[in-house]
């Protein structure tokens, strides 16, 4: 994988497609009936750990900045409890990648 995959045109196209798929709404907020504008596309299984799932639709969800920050422990960049919830939720759709 290239040095910065987020500058790749494939990522830009995929990011736009995922935001459209999710109606530009944060998927995590939507679980609670809130309609929050999503500005980030998050890798459910982190890109650094699962580079093969870089552009896999089922590994990508739209999030607002607040929810995206809740997915990452910013001290050690490990998955938080909320991130693990989403990993477990998406795992059945991603079995073929493990």
């Amino acid at each position: 994988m290239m040095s910065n995959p987020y500058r790749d045109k494939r990522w830009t196209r995929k990011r736009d497609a995922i935001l459209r798929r999710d109606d530009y709404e944060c998927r995590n907020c939507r679980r609670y009936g809130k309609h929050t504008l999503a500005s980030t596309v998050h890798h459910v299984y982190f890109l650094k750990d699962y580079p093969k799932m870089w552009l896999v639709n089922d590994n990508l969800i739209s999030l607002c900045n607040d929810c995206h920050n809740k997915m990452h422990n910013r001290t050690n960049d490990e998955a938080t409890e909320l991130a693990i919830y989403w990993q477990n939720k998406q795992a059945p759709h991603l079995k073929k990648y493990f």
Side-chain angles (χ1 to χ4, degrees), residues 16 28 31 35 43 50 54 62 64 67 74 93:
D16 291 345
N28 193 61
R31 292 173 46 217
H35 300 282
H43 288 91
Y50 298 90
W54 175 43
S62 300
C64 66
C67 287
R74 295 298 183 185
H93 306 291

Side-chain angles (χ1 to χ4, degrees), residues 14-31:
K14 180 62 73 170
R15 179 186 179 279
D16 291 345
I18 297 299
L19 287 168
R20 279 193 311 274
R21 178 197 71 189
D22 294 340
D23 296 322
Y24 297 90
E25 284 189 343
C26 175
R27 296 252 322 257
N28 193 61
C29 286
R30 200 162 51 193
R31 292 173 46 217

